[in-house]
Structures are given as structure tokens and as C-alpha cells.
Amino acid sequence: MTVQINKSPSTQDAFYFIFQQSSWGRFCVSLSAFKILLASHHIFVPFLDFVQAYGFKTHEDTHNWSGYRSKTSRAADHQGSDIHEFCYNLQYVDLNGRNRGDPWSLRQCGVYQQICLKTCRSRWVLLQISDKMRAQLDQALRNKSQKNDKLGINPMVPHVIFISAMAVNWQEYLEHLQVQLSVLDEKACFSRINRRSSNDFPVSLQDSQNLQLLRQKLLRTSVVLVSCLEVVEGCRLHYRKLVTLKVIDEDEQLLAEIEVYIKQIQRHSIDINRILEYSLGTSQLLSKILDIRDNKNLQEATEAIQNNLDILQRTASQIHGENTTLTQIARQGHKDSRMLKILSVIATLYLPASLIATLFSSSLVQSQLNDDNDATKGTHFVVSSQFWIFVLSSVCLAAVTIIYPLFRIIT
């Protein structure tokens, strides 16, 4: 979308507003229309360097062009009159209105001015200016039109409007960064090292990560402030150039206002460098605290491991003693088993004699006289008629004793 306001062809300036879909999105203008705008007004090539600072981004530091460009040349579209061109990118901070993350965001706007030195008429191409800048510019143009001034607006007034809108939030943003650093610095300065309690500050690696992200913001802010200072100083040189070319008359109040903004940005640069120095000390102190605590935790872990090793050694010694005792018991058991084996062999040797003695002492085998009337005629053994029962029972029991273990083994 390209908008032109104040279309009076003879006395008024022309303003072209080009906006983005989002802060990191494309311009709302086609490539062909943008080329026509550049060609029809013979806009010098250095302006394209600042245009490249817009478009798709993955990080705030991507494609940032700082400083300013200016050139005085002769243009054919002004009947051979000289023109003076001046452009820059102005970066500033503003509240993003999001309820998550950082409430502040880095913004930028592009400004291009082409002045015809003969007619003192300006053409402006404004890239992604804020609503506040647009409102202040509209108000200045309305005030000028109400005065019926045919000379048009002072070519330096829009620059002062943009600079004032840029400078308004820096103090509050630096205080926001200072508060973030103070939280981490308090942890670093007052956190106990050796003896920790429930009321102590919890210092962790995340604090170092947050501090690193904060230092990146501080470094980015420092670079942006340097760029803003270059732009404002360039505007001061631009003012002096226009006075020299007799495009405008000297305006001490306007120059003094520019000088005030230069002083403000210089003071902000000093403040941001001071915060950076503090953040460096905080970072070193947090790193030392984490190193000391890590070493202490490592020492405690080493001592715990050593205690466990001592316990394991004592346990191993006890197990070794028990194993020695068990070995002695096993040896004694082996000796006892050998003795039992010997006794078993001896007992086995006496089994036949025991069997015979048992049979002859039982009623199965009896001693009878050869002559019942004469005891001198000797005796003889008589086997009982029930002896077969003993033999059958022995055979059956022997069979059961042999077959049952074999059956258990097989099954």
C-alpha cells in the first residue's frame, strides 16, 4: 500500500508511506510499483541498502543498516535543477503489547527525503513509521495548512518529529534492563557459597543463560544507540547543508532541539556501557559461584563414593572371612564323610553276619534234639514252615527299594 498526501502540485511536499504486514514481514507494495516509485523520482541507489533492512527475519540483528546517506546531484525531472537526497534507518524501542515474554521490542523506520534546491519542495518515502510518528507528522502538516503558508513545511521538521519519537522510550527501556540485571546481580552478590539455607538465593545455570541473553540485549542496544547517534548527527549536518544551500533559514531553536537529542543519546550510550560493565562483573561472579558449588558438590560426591568404597571393602573382608569359615567347614565335612564312608563299609561287611544271626535267633530257624529222650545225641536245625513268607517279603521290599528310585529318575 502506497499513500500520497498533500497533493498540491505547486507548493506542497509529497509523502509516500510504505508499511509492512508485520515487523518482520514483507512490504505491502508490489515490486513493480516500488520500482516505478524509485524510477519516477530518480531515487538514488544507496536508499536500497536501507530497504534491505526490512523483510523476513529470524533475528533482530539480521540485515540492520545503520548510519545515513546523502548526496547532492542534478536531476532531469526538475529542469536541470540540483537536488539533495538524504536517507537513513532510525531504530527505536517500543512496547509490543504482548502479554508474554519481553514487553519491549526493537523497531525501525526508514526515511528518504529528496529536496529540489530550486523550488525547495521535498519528496518523502517513509518505511514502516509508527502510528505516533504518523500522527505527529499529520498534526504538523495540518498546522502548516491552517496558516496558509505556501512555502510548505520546513524540510527539517519531519526529521525532528521522527527523532523525538525515537528518543522518547529509551530511558524507560534502560531502566527495564537495569531492573533485570539487578535481580541477577543480587543473586550473585548475596548468595552464600559454602553454607546454604532455605532462605538463600537459588543460583543455577539458567541464571547464567538469562544473563547471557540480557548481555546480548545490552550489546544490541549499545549498537543501536550508536546508530541513532550517527543518524541524529547526520540530521544536524543535513540541517547545516540546507542552510548552506539556502533551502531554509537558520533556526536556532530547531538546531538546539537536535543538540538536545544528541546529548540524550550520548547519555543513554554512557548508561548502557555502564550497565554492560556491571553485567560483566555479575557474569563473572555467577560463574565463580557455580564453579565453587560444583566443586563442593563434586567433593561431597567423591567423599560419598569413598565412604561407599570403604563399606564395600569391609563387606568384602567379612565375606572373605565367611568364605574361609565355610571352606574350613567344607573340609571338615569332607573328613566326616570319609569317616562315614569307612563306617558304612564296615557296617556293610557285618551285614551278612547280622542277617545270619538274626535268622538263627528268630523263630524261622529252630534247634531241635535228635532224640527227644536222649539229649546226648545232639541237635539239628529245623526251618519253619513259614520261612517262605520271610523270603517273599524280602524280595518284594528289595524290588520296591530298587524300582521306585529308578522310576523317579526316569520320569
Side-chain angles (χ1 to χ4, degrees), residues 290-301:
L290 291 176
D291 289 340
I292 292 174
R293 289 188 176 180
D294 289 342
N295 292 334
K296 186 173 180 59
N297 292 334
L298 181 61
Q299 183 180 0
E300 292 176 354

Side-chain angles (χ1 to χ4, degrees), residues 219-280:
L219 290 171
R220 187 183 304 117
T221 303
S222 177
V223 173
V224 169
L225 286 173
V226 171
S227 174
C228 291
L229 183 60
E230 291 178 0
V231 170
V232 179
E233 289 178 344
C235 289
R236 181 175 59 184
L237 294 176
H238 181 57
Y239 163 80
R240 292 173 177 171
K241 179 72 173 180
L242 296 182
V243 171
T244 303
L245 295 174
K246 298 182 179 180
V247 176
I248 60 175
D249 297 328
E250 290 190 13
D251 189 338
E252 295 295 334
Q253 183 178 355
L254 186 64
L255 181 60
E257 191 172 355
I258 295 176
E259 294 288 348
V260 168
Y261 291 127
I262 291 176
K263 296 296 182 181
Q264 286 183 2
I265 297 175
Q266 289 175 345
R267 186 177 69 253
H268 294 329
S269 296
I270 294 174
D271 291 339
I272 199 67
N273 290 330
R274 175 182 55 81
I275 297 174
L276 270 171
E277 289 294 330
Y278 282 150
S279 67
L280 179 60

Side-chain angles (χ1 to χ4, degrees), residues 387-403:
F387 186 78
W388 64 273
I389 296 174
F390 169 75
V391 174
L392 181 61
S393 300
S394 299
V395 171
C396 291
L397 291 174
V400 171
T401 304
I402 295 173
I403 293 173

Side-chain angles (χ1 to χ4, degrees), residues 131-372:
D131 294 338
K132 186 183 297 184
M133 294 177 183
R134 175 70 181 272
Q136 292 179 3
L137 181 60
D138 289 345
Q139 183 63 39
L141 293 174
R142 282 195 298 268
N143 294 339
K144 197 66 176 176
S145 62
Q146 291 174 359
K147 295 179 180 180
N148 296 321
D149 192 346
K150 297 183 179 182
L151 295 178
I153 192 172
N154 188 321
M156 287 302 302
V157 169
H159 296 296
V160 175
I161 291 175
F162 302 146
I163 293 172
S164 64
M166 173 273 298
V168 69
N169 288 327
W170 280 115
Q171 184 63 40
E172 186 177 356
Y173 180 65
L174 293 182
E175 292 176 357
H176 170 72
L177 296 178
Q178 180 67 57
V179 169
Q180 288 185 320
L181 179 61
S182 298
V183 174
L184 298 173
D185 188 68
E186 187 176 4
K187 284 187 176 183
C189 293
F190 299 102
S191 178
R192 296 181 182 180
I193 298 177
N194 295 323
R195 184 178 61 186
R196 285 178 287 178
S197 63
S198 59
N199 297 326
D200 194 11
F201 292 101
V203 179
S204 62
L205 179 61
Q206 186 177 3
D207 294 322
S208 295
Q209 292 173 334
N210 293 335
L211 182 58
Q212 177 61 23
L213 293 176
L214 179 59
R215 281 184 55 82
Q216 291 177 2
K217 289 183 182 179
L218 293 172
L219 290 171
R220 187 183 304 117
T221 303
S222 177
V223 173
V224 169
L225 286 173
V226 171
S227 174
C228 291
L229 183 60
E230 291 178 0
V231 170
V232 179
E233 289 178 344
C235 289
R236 181 175 59 184
L237 294 176
H238 181 57
Y239 163 80
R240 292 173 177 171
K241 179 72 173 180
L242 296 182
V243 171
T244 303
L245 295 174
K246 298 182 179 180
V247 176
I248 60 175
D249 297 328
E250 290 190 13
D251 189 338
E252 295 295 334
Q253 183 178 355
L254 186 64
L255 181 60
E257 191 172 355
I258 295 176
E259 294 288 348
V260 168
Y261 291 127
I262 291 176
K263 296 296 182 181
Q264 286 183 2
I265 297 175
Q266 289 175 345
R267 186 177 69 253
H268 294 329
S269 296
I270 294 174
D271 291 339
I272 199 67
N273 290 330
R274 175 182 55 81
I275 297 174
L276 270 171
E277 289 294 330
Y278 282 150
S279 67
L280 179 60
T282 303
S283 176
Q284 293 174 349
L285 192 53
L286 282 177
S287 298
K288 288 182 180 179
I289 292 174
L290 291 176
D291 289 340
I292 292 174
R293 289 188 176 180
D294 289 342
N295 292 334
K296 186 173 180 59
N297 292 334
L298 181 61
Q299 183 180 0
E300 292 176 354
T302 303
E303 292 177 355
I305 292 173
Q306 186 62 42
N307 293 333
N308 292 333
L309 289 176
D310 294 339
I311 294 173
L312 290 175
Q313 288 178 353
R314 290 195 296 269
T315 304
S317 299
Q318 293 176 358
I319 293 174
H320 179 70
E322 293 175 356
N323 290 335
T324 302
T325 303
L326 291 175
T327 302
Q328 294 176 354
I329 293 174
R331 289 176 181 176
Q332 186 64 37
H334 181 66
K335 292 180 181 180
D336 294 341
S337 65
R338 290 180 61 186
M339 184 61 66
L340 291 175
K341 183 178 179 181
I342 294 172
L343 293 176
S344 298
V345 171
I346 295 174
T348 302
L349 294 177
Y350 282 100
L351 282 177
S354 299
L355 178 61
I356 293 172
T358 302
L359 290 175
F360 280 98
S361 63
S362 66
S363 60
L364 296 175
V365 179
Q366 297 179 354
S367 178
Q368 294 183 356
L369 294 175
N370 291 329
D371 189 354
D372 293 336

